Amino acid sequence: MTGQTRIGVGSAFGSCGELLQGVTAEDDRHFLVTLPIRGGSVALFEPGGPDVRVYPPHKTKALRLATGMIERSAALRGGRLTVFSDLPEGKGLASSTADLVATARAIADAEHRTASTAEIEAGLRVIEPSDGVMYPGSVAYCHREVRLLARLGQLPALTVVVGDEGGAVDTVEFNRRPRPFSAAVKGEYSALLARLGTAIARRDAAGIGAVATRSAVLSAALRDRPHLDATIAAACEAGALGVVVAHSGTTTGLLLDDSDADYRRKVVAAQRICAEFADSVSVHHTWRPSPPDGAQPQAAGGSGHDHAIPPLGERAREHVRGLAGGRAEALPGRGGIARSVGPAAHQEPAEVWVR
């Protein structure tokens, strides 16, 4: 087994809520549009032993996915899977999907191969509704089907100042609830999706913000957000692009254009607005210029780490150091590990406020 496997590394970025979430008018397909952010989940799989163990122990979905992949493997029998993330759980930042995508990539990497998006989706489909973070850029994704609806392209450089109202939302349970959408509302969702696709293609930040805000308003019919109207009004007054929500989460964010000449003042203003309703406030950034595509085929002679590990917070970086410490010889050519523990020169420090 030693010559056939290696320590596997996988990663996936998160999504800061959804720019849009609804149902298509044409065929009643439930969809969401991702808002990829820097930061996400990293998985490390160390082959060895007769069974599969996961750390932290509550990452049971990742354990289930890893076990299924290993049962189908000709080389792997068992091992230790460690999953860690910058993304808080149950908040609507695609933490669960990021964990699972990173896990699938780590298991495949341990076999010296790259997991395709089709393989990843097949594994996730039997576990839970999923975000489309296995694809680069912003995508329209049928989360209940775990299938791609459309690639929309790379987002402009945006900042999302996010307020977390507290608590957590069970995504699986949330998606089991009936959705009484009228034909008129479905028609509006389809029109919004077309409008958003055009805005992303044109890198129209204001257009993206307008669609996100309308989707946030429509989402109030499914999940009560008492603070939403006041937040939208304050965002407009502060000059934000709009408001974005985690439709099945606990966060509401203000979208800002990084190229805005008054950017720094608006970031501070957005933090104050979020502090009015939130237990905590954080700042997230979209990828610049774009997130890596973990699903790209491995080039001949490549290392197998074509998915770049997203920049992580210090706690996650320390965790990787502990895992990889003293085993540098086991990680030849592992650019991904180096990127995950080294400084991310292009990443601005995120401002964080806690009440």
Side-chain angles (χ1 to χ4, degrees), residues 39-106:
S41 298
V42 174
L44 187 76
F45 182 72
E46 303 166 271
D51 57 0
V52 185
R53 293 93 61 200
V54 67
Y55 180 84
H58 74 276
K59 299 283 187 180
T60 55
K61 295 174 184 176
L63 175 62
R64 180 179 171 187
L65 178 64
T67 300
M69 292 183 69
I70 290 170
E71 287 175 350
R72 296 186 294 273
S73 173
L76 297 171
R77 293 295 178 270
R80 176 185 171 94
L81 173 69
T82 303
V83 182
F84 50 96
S85 178
D86 284 330
L87 306 172
E89 298 177 356
K91 303 298 184 181
L93 272 67
S95 62
S96 182
T97 302
D99 285 352
L100 293 173
V101 173
T103 293
R105 289 173 173 167

Side-chain angles (χ1 to χ4, degrees), residues 79-149:
R80 176 185 171 94
L81 173 69
T82 303
V83 182
F84 50 96
S85 178
D86 284 330
L87 306 172
E89 298 177 356
K91 303 298 184 181
L93 272 67
S95 62
S96 182
T97 302
D99 285 352
L100 293 173
V101 173
T103 293
R105 289 173 173 167
I107 299 299
D109 186 56
E111 299 178 293
H112 296 262
R113 65 182 184 87
T114 299
S116 68
T117 50
E119 178 186 4
I120 293 172
E121 288 173 319
L124 271 60
R125 196 169 291 127
V126 299
I127 296 176
E128 66 174 2
S130 300
D131 293 270
V133 299
M134 66 288 294
Y135 291 94
S138 183
V139 299
Y141 199 75
C142 295
H143 50 289
R144 293 186 175 187
E145 303 172 35
V146 193
R147 298 182 193 278
L148 180 70
L149 181 60

Side-chain angles (χ1 to χ4, degrees), residues 23-310:
V23 182
T24 62
E26 300 80 10
D27 45 15
D28 286 327
R29 299 183 76 183
H30 291 257
F31 73 92
L32 55 80
V33 177
T34 58
L35 173 51
I37 54 173
R38 296 204 308 256
S41 298
V42 174
L44 187 76
F45 182 72
E46 303 166 271
D51 57 0
V52 185
R53 293 93 61 200
V54 67
Y55 180 84
H58 74 276
K59 299 283 187 180
T60 55
K61 295 174 184 176
L63 175 62
R64 180 179 171 187
L65 178 64
T67 300
M69 292 183 69
I70 290 170
E71 287 175 350
R72 296 186 294 273
S73 173
L76 297 171
R77 293 295 178 270
R80 176 185 171 94
L81 173 69
T82 303
V83 182
F84 50 96
S85 178
D86 284 330
L87 306 172
E89 298 177 356
K91 303 298 184 181
L93 272 67
S95 62
S96 182
T97 302
D99 285 352
L100 293 173
V101 173
T103 293
R105 289 173 173 167
I107 299 299
D109 186 56
E111 299 178 293
H112 296 262
R113 65 182 184 87
T114 299
S116 68
T117 50
E119 178 186 4
I120 293 172
E121 288 173 319
L124 271 60
R125 196 169 291 127
V126 299
I127 296 176
E128 66 174 2
S130 300
D131 293 270
V133 299
M134 66 288 294
Y135 291 94
S138 183
V139 299
Y141 199 75
C142 295
H143 50 289
R144 293 186 175 187
E145 303 172 35
V146 193
R147 298 182 193 278
L148 180 70
L149 181 60
R151 293 177 184 260
L152 301 182
Q154 310 300 342
L155 295 173
L158 303 173
T159 292
V160 195
V161 179
V162 175
D164 177 15
E165 62 196 66
V169 173
D170 185 327
T171 304
V172 175
E173 180 59 33
F174 182 86
N175 279 282
R176 286 178 180 155
R177 301 173 191 169
R179 299 289 184 267
F181 294 120
S182 66
V185 171
K186 292 177 185 177
E188 182 173 7
Y189 277 128
S190 288
L192 286 170
L193 179 56
R195 182 179 167 191
L196 181 57
T198 299
I200 292 175
R202 294 177 177 174
R203 303 186 70 77
D204 174 8
I208 293 170
V211 172
T213 302
R214 181 56 185 163
S215 185
V217 171
L218 290 171
S219 76
L222 305 175
R223 186 176 181 280
D224 187 33
R225 290 183 168 86
H227 62 275
L228 185 59
D229 289 344
T231 301
I232 291 174
C236 181
E237 184 177 351
L241 296 172
V243 170
V244 60
V245 300
H247 292 70
S248 59
T250 65
T251 55
T252 300
L254 275 67
L255 281 171
L256 303 173
D257 186 345
D258 286 18
S259 65
D260 192 320
D262 206 14
Y263 170 81
R264 293 193 176 278
R265 182 195 66 78
K266 290 182 178 180
V267 168
V268 174
Q271 288 176 306
R272 289 173 177 162
I273 292 168
C274 288
E276 291 297 319
F277 67 85
D279 290 339
S280 64
V281 178
S282 59
V283 180
H284 301 272
H285 305 280
T286 57
W287 281 85
R288 298 160 195 163
S290 65
D293 184 355
Q296 286 184 349
Q298 180 180 340
S303 68
H305 292 277
D306 299 315
H307 50 278
I309 292 178

